[in-house]
């Protein structure tokens, strides 16, 4: 069989993976459910390390310079002043914020007057700072290296570097999952992320901390994208949404545990070590290949024929289905694979560069990247409004966690009923309207209405982000799913890094930030209408299947079809297919060579009693008698 014919035939078999392959290995059976459960734990470990960055870079609510006795006159006696009087004497008082964060008083050398009338100079801190306890932690990245005042810019730079690592990891390790497989990509990422996590605990300077966090973010991105893809490729269409959303609840559970872990750990190296511990436990997946096997869908799509046959047999056995190469058409799956692909077919690998030759896949990838960028970037606008209502760190933190849980519940209840595209469109509309109302009417609204609009906008922006990731994984073909999903997730990290850019400029461009993202949210409404609908549809495997996804009308009169023809046409008659004939010949050949076939024609072990000439004469006489 030629290479072109092999690729054409493989695309036909891949198109019906759910109908031709999936049912014969037990469908979404017991073993698939077990593997899906084990794929949720990496999501918990990844999010534990991602959201711990909030506690590492949190600036304490109150801090001030340490008093320097050398800046005081020689006549000063500490015993004459109380603790608060001593601080008021040495540190300037700033109306509305208490003691100055970055300045000290310097007195003339020989003065004995300590009143406010004496001429005093203001100088920068000389002995370091005194901090109140950060949220949960007694020491973190800020207090360890005094990243305040003139060194404050290093905090948003650290977050930007961390997000840069995630962006690089999503792009390169996502593509690597399409080359070496989901399991190998996962094991490589989990090993390197564990080593990076341990190394972060031993950081000795801010520069080392930044570089190690960048590398750890890249490896964590590979863990997330490989486990997310493998999880969905093991599910049938009815279970894909719930499986993806349960992984979201694992992320929420990690966020809920972090404040308590921070209180117990007290210091940031201890919290980093505890956060790395789940990653170390996941290294056990190296030894237990059955808890995270290679995706049979990816093996078949990339033509790893010996591996896919072994994988299908393992899945069928563990699911309680006996997959044998027998003579009946329903039980000849392995024979069909041999006849269609051939035994000498070579694996074929793809990369995101293949998108240059596509039109629909590239468009879907671009639109979903845009919506995820909006969903993650606009959340900063809503959380900043929450600070106006309450400056308590735990208020905004737990409110964001609660809205994330509500977003998962909203998606579970609505998306399977109304469709992916419709709910993505609704989330974008409500997110954009909430941002525009806050942008135009904040100064006229009361605090309660501002809080309500911020909470609603935060809820639907998180729903927009979650659904964009899930939607992208469903519409991207298997052969490039890792690279395409990596591009989409990388755009989401760009949106998360945009908030740090605002903090780097002391929120000088906050108004422009909110205007741009509110405008993008309105623009995304038009883009989302160009997406296909993936509800109750099989995952595309080849580039051809990804290109065949069509945009349905906004209001479907028939939910089982994407478009309706103007005229009713007859179904064309099935033409002769030489591939089916070759498959029949191959199955017949194997059937005749089997020893277990009950009606196989036995070869006589003894020589016949009559010779060939006598047998021919007897046959001729029998024919004459029948004619007469």
């Amino acid at each position: 069989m030629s290479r072109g014919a092999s690729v054409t035939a493989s695309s036909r078999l891949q198109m019906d993976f759910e109908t031709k392959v999936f049912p014969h290995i037990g469908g979404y059976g017991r073993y698939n459910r077990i593997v899906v459960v084990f794929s949720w734990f990496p999501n918990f470990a990844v999010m534990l390390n991602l959201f711990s960055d909030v506690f590492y870079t949190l600036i304490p609510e109150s801090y001030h310079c340490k008093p320097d006795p050398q800046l005081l006159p020689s006549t000063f006696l500490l015993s004459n002043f109380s603790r608060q009087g001593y601080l008021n004497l040495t540190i300037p008082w700033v109306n509305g914020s208490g003691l100055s964060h970055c300045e000290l008083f310097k007195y003339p050398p020989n003065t004995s007057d300590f009143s406010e009338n004496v001429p005093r100079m203001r100088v920068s801190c000389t002995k370091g700072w005194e901090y109140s306890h950060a949220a949960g932690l007694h020491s973190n990245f800020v207090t360890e290296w005094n990243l305040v005042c003139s060194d404050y810019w290093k905090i948003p730079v650290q977050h930007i570097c961390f997000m840069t690592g995630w962006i690089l990891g999503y792009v390169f390790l996502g593509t690597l999952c399409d080359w070496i497989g989901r399991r190998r990509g996962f094991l490589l990422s989990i090993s390197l992320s564990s080593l990076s996590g341990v190394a972060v605990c031993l950081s000795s300077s801010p520069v080392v901390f930044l570089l190690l966090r960048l590398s750890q973010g890249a490896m964590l991105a590979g863990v997330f994208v490989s486990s997310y893809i493998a999880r969905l490729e093991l599910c049938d269409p009815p279970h894909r949404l719930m499986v993806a959303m349960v992984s979201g609840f694992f992320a929420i559970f990690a966020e809920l545990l972090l404040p308590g872990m921070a209180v117990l750990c007290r210091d940031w190296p201890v919290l980093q070590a505890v956060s790395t511990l789940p990653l170390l436990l996941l290294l056990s997946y190296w030894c237990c290949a059955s808890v995270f096997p290679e995706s049979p869908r990816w093996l078949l799509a990339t033509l790893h024929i010996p591996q896919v046959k072994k994988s299908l047999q393992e899945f069928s056995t563990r699911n309680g289905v006996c997959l044998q190469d027998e003579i009946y058409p329903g039980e000849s799956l392995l024979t069909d694979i041999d006849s269609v692909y051939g035994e000498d077919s070579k694996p074929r690998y793809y990369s995101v560069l293949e998108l240059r030759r596509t039109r629909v896949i590239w468009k879907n990838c671009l639109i979903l990247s845009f919506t995820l960028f909006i969903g993650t970037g606009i959340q900063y606008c809503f959380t900043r409004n929450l600070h106006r209502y309450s400056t308590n760190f735990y208020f905004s933190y737990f409110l964001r966690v609660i809205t994330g849980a509500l977003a998962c519940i909203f998606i579970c209840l609505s998306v399977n009923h109304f469709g992916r595209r419709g709910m993505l469109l609704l989330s974008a509309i409500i997110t954009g309207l909430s941002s525009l109302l806050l942008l135009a009417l904040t100064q006229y609204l009361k605090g309660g209405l501002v809080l309500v609009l911020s909470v609603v906008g935060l809820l639907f922006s998180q729903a927009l982000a979650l659904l964009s990731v899930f939607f992208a994984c469903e519409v991207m073909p298997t052969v490039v799913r890792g690279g395409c999903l990596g591009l989409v997730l990388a755009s989401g990290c760009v949106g998360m890094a945009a908030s740090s850019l605002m903090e780097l400029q002391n929120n000088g461009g906050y108004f422009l930030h909110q205007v741009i993202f509110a405008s993008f949210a309105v623009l995304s409404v038009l883009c989302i209408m160009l997406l296909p609908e993936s509800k109750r549809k099989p995952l595309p495997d080849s580039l051809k299947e990804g290109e065949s996804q069509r945009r349905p009308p906004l209001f479907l009169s028939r939910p089982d079809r994407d478009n309706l023809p103007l005229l009713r046409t007859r179904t064309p008659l099935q033409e002769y297919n030489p591939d089916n004939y070759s498959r029949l010949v191959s199955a017949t050949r194997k059937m005749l060579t089997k020893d277990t076939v009950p009606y196989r024609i036995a070869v006589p072990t003894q020589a016949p009693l009559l010779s060939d000439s006598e047998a021919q004469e007897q046959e001729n006489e029998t024919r004459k008698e029948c004619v007469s």
Side-chain angles (χ1 to χ4, degrees), residues 282-315:
L282 290 175
L283 291 176
S284 60
Y285 286 15
W286 275 97
C287 305
C288 304
S290 59
V291 299
F292 199 95
E294 185 56 77
S295 170
R297 182 186 292 271
W298 176 82
L299 290 173
L300 186 60
T302 53
L303 303 181
H304 290 77
I305 303 305
Q307 293 88 339
V308 75
K309 292 170 65 176
K310 182 179 179 181
S311 176
L312 294 178
Q313 288 177 339
E314 181 181 3
F315 271 81

Side-chain angles (χ1 to χ4, degrees), residues 462-520:
Q462 294 189 66
L464 181 66
L466 290 172
L467 192 52
S468 297
V469 177
F470 174 69
F471 204 172
C473 194
E474 281 197 322
V475 299
M476 297 303 159
T478 300
V479 292
V480 291
R481 183 169 291 126
C484 292
L485 185 62
L487 291 176
V488 174
L489 290 168
S491 66
C493 291
V494 174
M496 296 174 67
S499 61
S500 299
L501 292 176
M502 295 299 102
E503 295 178 359
L504 191 60
Q505 302 175 358
N506 293 323
N507 293 320
Y510 168 72
F511 181 78
L512 181 61
H513 176 92
Q514 189 170 5
V515 170
I516 291 176
F517 275 93
S519 304
F520 283 168

Side-chain angles (χ1 to χ4, degrees), residues 3 7 178 301-304 346-350 354 479:
R3 183 176 181 84
V7 173
D178 293 330
T302 53
L303 303 181
H304 290 77
K346 297 181 180 180
R348 184 176 180 183
Y349 302 98
Y350 300 81
E354 300 288 341
V479 292

Side-chain angles (χ1 to χ4, degrees), residues 209-445:
F209 184 84
L210 291 178
L211 295 177
L212 290 177
R213 288 290 282 176
L214 187 148
S215 61
Q216 187 190 23
M219 298 303 107
L220 289 173
V223 176
F224 179 82
V225 70
S226 58
S227 60
Y228 196 98
I229 293 174
R231 185 184 309 125
L232 261 65
E233 288 182 348
L234 293 176
C235 300
D236 54 355
H239 294 92
R240 283 201 302 257
L241 180 67
M242 295 303 298
V243 165
M245 289 304 106
V246 171
S247 66
F249 285 112
F250 270 72
I252 293 168
F253 182 60
E255 288 187 82
L256 290 175
L257 285 182
L258 266 175
M261 292 172 56
V263 172
L264 295 176
C265 295
R266 299 170 67 94
D267 297 325
W268 72 266
V270 181
L271 179 60
Q272 174 64 27
V274 173
S275 301
T276 308
L277 182 60
L279 296 174
L280 296 174
L281 294 177
L282 290 175
L283 291 176
S284 60
Y285 286 15
W286 275 97
C287 305
C288 304
S290 59
V291 299
F292 199 95
E294 185 56 77
S295 170
R297 182 186 292 271
W298 176 82
L299 290 173
L300 186 60
T302 53
L303 303 181
H304 290 77
I305 303 305
Q307 293 88 339
V308 75
K309 292 170 65 176
K310 182 179 179 181
S311 176
L312 294 178
Q313 288 177 339
E314 181 181 3
F315 271 81
S316 63
T317 303
R318 294 181 180 273
N319 281 327
V321 179
C322 183
L323 181 61
Q324 297 178 354
D325 192 3
E326 298 178 0
I327 61 174
Y328 300 103
E331 299 176 346
S332 59
L333 177 61
L334 301 183
T335 301
D336 292 342
I337 293 176
D338 284 337
S339 60
V340 172
Y341 294 96
E343 299 179 357
D344 56 346
S345 60
K346 297 181 180 180
R348 184 176 180 183
Y349 302 98
Y350 300 81
S351 67
V352 292
L353 299 179
E354 300 288 341
L355 297 182
R356 295 178 301 174
R357 306 189 186 96
T358 64
R359 183 175 61 88
V360 177
I361 302 174
W362 172 251
K363 176 198 67 177
N364 296 338
C365 184
L366 184 62
I367 294 174
L368 292 171
S369 300
F370 186 51
T371 57
L372 184 59
F373 169 73
I374 296 169
T376 55
I378 205 171
Q379 292 180 24
Y380 175 72
C381 305
F382 300 122
T383 53
R384 192 172 183 271
N385 287 324
L386 296 178
H387 296 160
R388 299 180 181 180
Y389 190 82
S390 176
T391 58
N392 190 354
F393 166 77
Y394 289 109
F395 172 77
S396 59
Y397 181 85
F398 284 109
L399 191 57
R400 183 171 57 84
V401 175
I402 293 173
T403 53
L406 293 177
C408 288
I409 295 174
F410 166 75
I411 292 175
C412 291
L413 297 178
S414 61
V415 171
N416 266 343
H417 185 69
F418 296 102
R420 280 69 163 147
R421 192 181 69 150
M423 288 299 100
L424 191 69
L425 185 64
L426 178 64
S427 300
I429 291 174
I430 297 179
T431 300
L433 287 178
S434 301
S435 181
L436 290 175
L437 289 175
L438 288 173
L439 185 64
L441 304 175
T442 299
Q443 57 183 345
Y444 304 106
L445 296 176

Side-chain angles (χ1 to χ4, degrees), residues 144-216:
E144 181 80 12
W145 292 291
N146 293 323
L147 302 183
V148 291
C149 297
S150 60
D151 290 332
Y152 166 78
W153 59 274
K154 295 180 181 178
I155 301 175
V157 166
Q158 186 274 336
H159 187 260
I160 293 174
C161 290
F162 191 43
M163 289 295 103
T164 302
W166 283 80
I167 293 171
L168 297 176
Y170 280 137
V171 174
F172 292 107
L173 294 180
T175 303
L176 193 65
C177 288
D178 293 330
W179 289 347
I180 65 176
R182 313 326 188 191
R183 174 175 169 79
R184 291 181 181 177
F186 172 80
L187 295 177
L188 176 64
S189 302
I190 203 68
S191 302
L192 296 178
S193 62
S194 302
L195 293 177
S196 301
V198 174
V200 170
C201 301
L202 307 176
S203 301
S204 58
S205 66
V207 176
V208 175
F209 184 84
L210 291 178
L211 295 177
L212 290 177
R213 288 290 282 176
L214 187 148
S215 61
Q216 187 190 23

